[in-house]
Amino acid sequence: MIRTGLGYDFHRLVTGRPLMLGGIEIPADKGEEGHSDGDALLHAITDALLGAAALGDIGEFFPPSDPRWKGADSKKLLVAAWNRVLAAGWELENLDCVIALQTPKFLPWREKVCASIAHTLGVGADRVFVKAKTGEGIGPVGTGEAIEVWANCLITREEE
Ligand code: MG
């Protein structure tokens, strides 16, 4: 059986917060506002994987109203969700993500971010890819007010 999953996340960018992408802190003037560490990339990936397996979504598993997730490391949220997907017998074929971020440049960080995500999921680095686009200076992304992320995954399971 083959399933695809799509995840999306949007966070406001504010001063005084770290910019977290895929579990890596990227030097930047602003970072994601959020209840957890705000890692929009990991949140989108978590939703893609849960959605592909039809197991729920990140808001259900880790409600922002729950004080346990305040400042939480999003890698831990992803691992908890991914363990549920693995327990249902699924394997990750690949994960491909798009970040919409005006600044800073993502390319110098790409290899490190992809490796971090692959390591967190316990898969080979060749199964994870992340690319970035700017907002062309307009809209909430282009003016540096927000970050948007899309994640698409393919998971497979042997059927008896
Ligand atoms: Mg989020």
Side-chain angles (χ1 to χ4, degrees):
M1 191 185 285
I2 297 173
R3 296 265 190 98
T4 67
L6 176 64
Y8 169 78
D9 202 15
F10 180 99
H11 279 244
R12 214 180 266 270
L13 294 174
V14 293
T15 53
R17 291 272 300 182
L19 179 64
M20 298 300 298
L21 289 176
I24 303 292
E25 185 177 340
I26 312 282
D29 295 336
K30 292 175 169 183
E32 299 107 326
E33 193 172 63
H35 187 67
S36 66
D37 66 9
D39 196 320
L41 177 54
L42 292 188
H43 296 172
I45 291 169
T46 302
D47 259 351
L49 295 167
L50 285 173
L55 286 172
D57 68 53
I58 192 168
E60 256 180 284
F61 276 73
F62 313 106
S65 55
D66 188 332
R68 274 184 301 168
W69 313 120
K70 184 163 170 52
D73 179 346
S74 295
K75 288 200 298 290
K76 289 188 180 149
L77 310 188
L78 173 57
V79 166
W82 178 228
N83 282 338
R84 295 285 296 273
V85 178
L86 286 174
W90 296 101
E91 275 182 51
L92 180 67
E93 296 300 326
N94 82 303
L95 179 64
D96 187 28
C97 310
V98 179
I99 297 170
L101 178 67
Q102 188 65 24
T103 186
K105 285 203 183 318
F106 176 70
L107 192 57
W109 295 93
R110 177 155 81 194
E111 202 174 320
K112 197 172 179 188
V113 168
C114 289
S116 166
I117 296 163
H119 178 77
T120 301
L121 295 172
V123 301
D126 63 336
R127 290 177 189 252
V128 176
F129 201 76
V130 183
K131 65 196 83 73
K133 300 282 172 191
T134 73
E136 295 283 346
I138 58 168
V141 169
T143 53
E145 292 168 89
I147 180 173
E148 261 183 308
V149 182
W150 295 261
N152 184 210
C153 71
L154 187 76
I155 60 172
T156 55
R157 181 167 75 182
E158 292 292 326
E159 295 298 298
E160 308 295 307

